[in-house]
C-alpha cells in the first residue's frame, strides 16, 4: 500500500487530502488549498461562468470548452475562450510536489461574499477563478464559490483508513500473554492472528480452508471501513443524491429532475449505476493488473541486465587489459630483438675499425723503420757499400709505398648506422586499434508465418533477433531425413529464405538454422517440425522430356509428333511412401503400344520405356499388355486399351513393389519387386496417342499397403 500514498496526497500542499473537492477536470484538491489558490478576475462575471462552475458541468461540456482553449509556453497554457480565463499575472510559486501555485489576490471589500469553513465564515472574492494545479485549466466560480464543487467522500474515506492502518502495528487477538504482532487477518472470522496462533487455532483444513486470509493492514482497512455517508446535492443541499444522469455523468437528486436541466436527460438508479461502474472499474483493473505484472517482470529483467552488464563489463575490461598487455609484451620482445640486432651491428663496426687500426699501426711502424734505416744509409760515405744495397732499398721503398696505395688509407666502415626503424605502419595500426565484433552470432529466429510446405517442398524463413548487433556472414540450414535421422546441411549462404525441393511425401521433417561469422558458428534456432503433403501433386516435366513431346493443359496432357516412341517423365520423384496416379487415353489411333511406369532420371528418352535398365514399365495395345524392364518382356496379360481407357500406376515403397491397373482393375500380378531409390513417373508414346495425367488421387480401396499373398497378387 505504500505505492498508493502518492494518490492520497494533495498536489498543492503535498500532504494527505483534507476535505478534498472534485474539480470539473476530475482532479482533486484540498478545500483549504483551493481557497489559497483562488484568483480574482478583473472583468465582471462572464456569461460562461455558470458553465465553468462546479455544478451542472458534465465531462463532455468541459471537454468541449477545453478544445477551444489555447496552450503555449508563454501563457502557461491558459486560454481566453468559452469560460476559460487568461493566466493571472500574479507571480507563481511551487508546492512541495513541484506544482505551480498562484497565491490569492487581495479581495476588495465591496466584492466579497462569505463561505462557511470549519464553523467560520471566510470571505471569498467575487468573480474568482481557480486553476487546476495538475492540468492547469482555469475555471470561473459562480455565486456559490467553492461550494459548487462536490466533495470527494470516497477519497476522504480512503485517506482516513490509510492513515489508521499506518497508526500502529496490529496485535494478535488470541495470545494470552504479551500478544505478538499479527501477521494475517481472517475476513470470515474477523480475527487477527500471529503465526503460532494461526497454525494452532486456524489450520488450513476442513471448513477453515475456504477462509480468506489477508495482511493485517488490509484487514484493518476492511474492518474499520466507515459506513457509507449519504451525499447531498450541490444544487439542492437538503436533497439526497438518488439518481444518476447518464448524459451529464453525475449523480443528481429528485429536485434536479423536477426543476433542473436534467429533467429531459436519461437517468438511472444510483445503486444500479454504482454497481455497474464498480464492475467496469474492476474489469479495467484486471487489464491494468496484467500490465503491472508484466512491468514487474520487466523490471526484474532490467535489474538482471544491470547485474549482467556489470559482470560482463568487468570481464570485458579484464580481457581488454590482457590483450593490451599481450601487445605490450610482444612489443617488448620485438624491442629486445631489435636492440640485439643493433648491438651486433655495433660490435661488427668496432671490430672492423679496430682491425684496420691494428693493421695500419703495424704497417706504419714498418714504414717508419724503413724510412729511418734509409736515412741512416744515406748518411754513409762509402760509395761502393751504398751501391751494393741501394737498388734493394729503392725497391723496398717503392713496394712499401705501393702498399699504401688507393684504399689503404680509407676507412673500411662508416661510423653511421645504416638502420632505420620503420615504426609508421605499427603506429598507424595502434591508432586504428578499435573494437570489432568478435562474438559469434546469436541464434536466428524462424519466422513461422512465412514457413510452409507445398507438395514435397519446404520453404523456411528466418531473421536475426531484433536487438542483435553482431555481424553475420551467412547462415546454415539443416534438415533431418524426414524419418528421425541425423541433420544434414541443405543450404549455406547469406539469404534468409530458402526452399528445399525433392523431399519425401507424407513425411515429418525437422529443420533448424544457425548463423556464422569470422568468429565462428552461433547457436541453433528453435527446431521447426514440418509435414509434407500426404498425396503427391505433379505434372509432366518439359525440361527433361524428349524434344518430340508436345505439352498442353498446363503440362498435364502430352502427345508426340514422331512415329517413334518418345519418353517423358514427371517433375517429382518418389522414394518413400505409397503413391498412386492415373492417365487417361484421350486419343488412340492405329493400335499403338504406349508404355506406362517409372524410371530413373537418366533413362533413355528415344526408345520405348523399359528397353533399358533405367525403367520399369507396362506396355499395352488394344488386346494385351506386357511388363518390361531392361528389354525383358514378362507376364503377358489379356485386356488392352482404347480411347477413354484409364491406366493406374501404384508404387508402394513400404513393400518395394509396382502394380498396374487398367480401368480400375489390376492388370496382371505385381509387376516389379525390390524397388529402392528415387523414381519418376514416366510414359513413352508416339504420335498416335495422347494422354492426360491425373494426380493427387487416394490409394484404391482394394489395396492395403504392406499385405500380399504368397502368389504375388495383391489382396
Amino acid at each position: 500500500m505504500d505505492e498508493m500514498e502518492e494518490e492520497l496526497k494533495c498536489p498543492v500542499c503535498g500532504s494527505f487530502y483534507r476535505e478534498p473537492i472534485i474539480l470539473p477536470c476530475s482532479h482533486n484538491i484540498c478545500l483549504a488549498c483551493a481557497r489559497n489558490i483562488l484568483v480574482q478576475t478583473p472583468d465582471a462575471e462572464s456569461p460562461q461562468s455558470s458553465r465553468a462552475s462546479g455544478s451542472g458541468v458534465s465531462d463532455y461540456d468541459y471537454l468541449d470548452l477545453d478544445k477551444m482553449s489555447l496552450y503555449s509556453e508563454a501563457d502557461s497554457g491558459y486560454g481566453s475562450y468559452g469560460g476559460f480565463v487568461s493566466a493571472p499575472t500574479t507571480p507563481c510559486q511551487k508546492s512541495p510536489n513541484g506544482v505551480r501555485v498562484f497565491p490569492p489576490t487581495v479581495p476588495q471589500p465591496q466584492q466579497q461574499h462569505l463561505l462557511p469553513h470549519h464553523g467560520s465564515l471566510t470571505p471569498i472574492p467575487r468573480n474568482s477563478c481557480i486553476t487546476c494545479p495538475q492540468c492547469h485549466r482555469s475555471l470561473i466560480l459562480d455565486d456559490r464559490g467553492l461550494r459548487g464543487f462536490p466533495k470527494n467522500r470516497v477519497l476522504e474515506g480512503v485517506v482516513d483508513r490509510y492513515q489508521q492502518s499506518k497508526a500502529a502495528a496490529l496485535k494478535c487477538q488470541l495470545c494470552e500473554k504479551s500478544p505478538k504482532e499479527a501477521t494475517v487477518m481472517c475476513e470470515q472470522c474477523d480475527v487477527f492472528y500471529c503465526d503460532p496462533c494461526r497454525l494452532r487455532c486456524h489450520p488450513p483444513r476442513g471448513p477453515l480452508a475456504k477462509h480468506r486470509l489477508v495482511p493485517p493492514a488490509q484487514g484493518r482497512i476492511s474492518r474499520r471501513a466507515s459506513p457509507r455517508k449519504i451525499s447531498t446535492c450541490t444544487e439542492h443541499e437538503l436533497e439526497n443524491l438518488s439518481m444518476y444522469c447518464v448524459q451529464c455523468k453525475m449523480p443528481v437528486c429528485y429536485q434536479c429532475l423536477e426543476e433542473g436541466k436534467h429533467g429531459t436527460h436519461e437517468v438511472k438508479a444510483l445503486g444500479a449505476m454504482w454497481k455497474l461502474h464498480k464492475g467496469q472499474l474492476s474489469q479495467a483493473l484486471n487489464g491494468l493488473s496484467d500490465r503491472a505484472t508484466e512491468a514487474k517482470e520487466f523490471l526484474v529483467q532490467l535489474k538482471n541486465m544491470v547485474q549482467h552488464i556489470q559482470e560482463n563489463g568487468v570481464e570485458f575490461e579484464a580481457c581488454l587489459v590482457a590483450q593490451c598487455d599481450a601487445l605490450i609484451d610482444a612489443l617488448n620482445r620485438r624491442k629486445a630483438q631489435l636492440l640485439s640486432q643493433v648491438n651486433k651491428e655495433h660490435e661488427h663496426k668496432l671490430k672492423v675499425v679496430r682491425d684496420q687500426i691494428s693493421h695500419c699501426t703495424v704497417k706504419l711502424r714498418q714504414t717508419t723503420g724503413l724510412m729511418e734505416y734509409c736515412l741512416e744509409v744515406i748518411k754513409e760515405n762509402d760509395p761502393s757499400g751504398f751501391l751494393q744495397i741501394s737498388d734493394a732499398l729503392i725497391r723496398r721503398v717503392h713496394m712499401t709505398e705501393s702498399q699504401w696505395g688507393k684504399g689503404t688509407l680509407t676507412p673500411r666502415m662508416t661510423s653511421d648506422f645504416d638502420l632505420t626503424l620503420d615504426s609508421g605502419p605499427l603506429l598507424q595500426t595502434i591508432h586504428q586499434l578499435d573494437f570489432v565484433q568478435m562474438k559469434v552470432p546469436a541464434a536466428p529466429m524462424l519466422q513461422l508465418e512465412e514457413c510452409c510446405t507445398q507438395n514435397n517442398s519446404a520453404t523456411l524463413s528466418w531473421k536475426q533477433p531484433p536487438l542483435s548487433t553482431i555481424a553475420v556472414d551467412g547462415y546454415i540450414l539443416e534438415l533431418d531425413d524426414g524419418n528421425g535421422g541425423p541433420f544434414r546441411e541443405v543450404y549455406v549462404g547469406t539469404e534468409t529464405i530458402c526452399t528445399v525441393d525433392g523431399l519425401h511425401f507424407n513425411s515429418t521433417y525437422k529443420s533448424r538454422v544457425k548463423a556464422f561469422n569470422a568468429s565462428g558458428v552461433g547457436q541453433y534456432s528453435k527446431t521447426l517440425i514440418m509435414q509434407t503433403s500426404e498425396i503427391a501433386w505433379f505434372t509432366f516435366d518439359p525440361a527433361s522430356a524428349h524434344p518430340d513431346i508436345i505439352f498442353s493443359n498446363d503440362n498435364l496432357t502430352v502427345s508426340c509428333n514422331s512415329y517413334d516412341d518418345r519418353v517423358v517423365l514427371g517433375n517429382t520423384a518418389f522414394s518413400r511412401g505409397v503413391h498412386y496416379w492415373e492417365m487417361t487415353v484421350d486419343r488412340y489411333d492405329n493400335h499403338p503400344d504406349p508404355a506406362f511406369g517409372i524410371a530413373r532420371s537418366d533413362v533413355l528418352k528415344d526408345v520405348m520405356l523399359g528397353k533399358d535398365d533405367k525403367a520399369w514399365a507396362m506396355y499395352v495395345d488394344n488386346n494385351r499388355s506386357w511388363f518390361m524392364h531392361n528389354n525383358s518382356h514378362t507376364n503377358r496379360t489379356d485386356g488392352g486399351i482404347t480411347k477413354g481407357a484409364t491406366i493406374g500406376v501404384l508404387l508402394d515403397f513400404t513393400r518395394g513393389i509396382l502394380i498396374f491397373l487398367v480401368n480400375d482393375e489390376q492388370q496382371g500380378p505385381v509387376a516389379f519387386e525390390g524397388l529402392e531409390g528415387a523414381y519418376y513417373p514416366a510414359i513413352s508414346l508416339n504420335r498416335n496417342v495422347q494422354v492426360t495425367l491425373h494426380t493427387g488421387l487416394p490409394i484404391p480401396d482394394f489395396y492395403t499397403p504392406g499385405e500380399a499373398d504368397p502368389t504375388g497378387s495383391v489382396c
Side-chain angles (χ1 to χ4, degrees), residues 362-390:
V362 173
K363 194 68 177 175
L364 181 59
R365 184 182 302 113
Q366 294 175 353
T367 301
T368 303
L370 178 60
M371 290 172 58
E372 293 178 352
Y373 175 69
C374 289
L375 290 175
E376 292 298 327
V377 170
I378 292 174
K379 293 179 181 179
E380 291 293 331
N381 295 325
D382 184 2
S384 59
F386 178 81
L387 293 174
Q388 286 179 347
I389 63 173
S390 61

Side-chain angles (χ1 to χ4, degrees), residues 329-491:
D329 291 341
L331 185 60
N332 286 331
R333 289 193 298 270
R334 186 56 181 167
K335 172 185 174 182
Q337 295 174 357
L338 294 175
L339 286 176
S340 175
Q341 185 176 350
V342 171
N343 289 334
K344 290 180 180 179
E345 182 70 14
H346 173 259
E347 295 297 334
H348 174 67
K349 285 179 176 291
L350 289 178
K351 182 178 183 303
V352 171
V353 173
R354 286 170 180 169
D355 290 344
Q356 190 174 13
I357 290 174
S358 176
H359 177 74
C360 287
T361 300
V362 173
K363 194 68 177 175
L364 181 59
R365 184 182 302 113
Q366 294 175 353
T367 301
T368 303
L370 178 60
M371 290 172 58
E372 293 178 352
Y373 175 69
C374 289
L375 290 175
E376 292 298 327
V377 170
I378 292 174
K379 293 179 181 179
E380 291 293 331
N381 295 325
D382 184 2
S384 59
F386 178 81
L387 293 174
Q388 286 179 347
I389 63 173
S390 61
D391 291 336
L393 288 177
I394 292 172
R395 287 195 301 269
R396 285 185 62 190
V397 169
H398 286 302
M399 184 181 298
T400 302
E401 182 183 2
S402 64
Q403 291 176 352
W404 292 99
K406 185 177 180 181
T408 304
L409 300 178
T410 302
R412 299 177 184 174
M413 184 66 67
T414 63
S415 59
D416 297 331
F417 284 79
D418 297 331
L419 298 174
T420 301
L421 182 62
D422 186 12
S423 60
L426 179 58
L427 288 175
Q428 184 178 1
T429 302
I430 292 176
H431 292 153
Q432 294 176 349
L433 188 63
D434 202 351
F435 298 104
V436 294
Q437 295 291 353
M438 293 300 294
K439 293 184 178 180
V440 297
M445 298 172 57
L446 289 171
Q447 297 183 274
L448 301 182
E449 65 278 3
E450 298 183 12
C451 297
C452 62
T453 58
Q454 183 177 8
N455 220 15
N456 65 330
S457 299
T459 299
L460 294 102
S461 178
W462 59 88
K463 64 179 181 179
Q464 283 299 107
L467 299 180
S468 177
T469 58
I470 302 175
V472 175
D473 294 339
Y475 300 93
I476 301 174
L477 176 62
E478 297 181 357
L479 268 72
D480 69 352
D481 60 356
N483 196 27
F487 283 91
R488 65 188 190 279
E489 294 183 2
V490 296
Y491 170 76

Side-chain angles (χ1 to χ4, degrees), residues 71-77 100:
Y71 182 86
S72 67
E73 292 294 330
D75 62 6
S76 302
R100 292 178 297 177

Side-chain angles (χ1 to χ4, degrees), residues 125-144:
R126 295 189 178 184
N127 302 331
S128 298
C129 73
I130 185 172
T131 301
C132 176
Q134 291 183 277
C135 64
H136 311 301
R137 295 172 178 173
S138 298
L139 293 162
I140 299 176
L141 275 64
D142 59 11
D143 292 337
R144 294 175 300 164

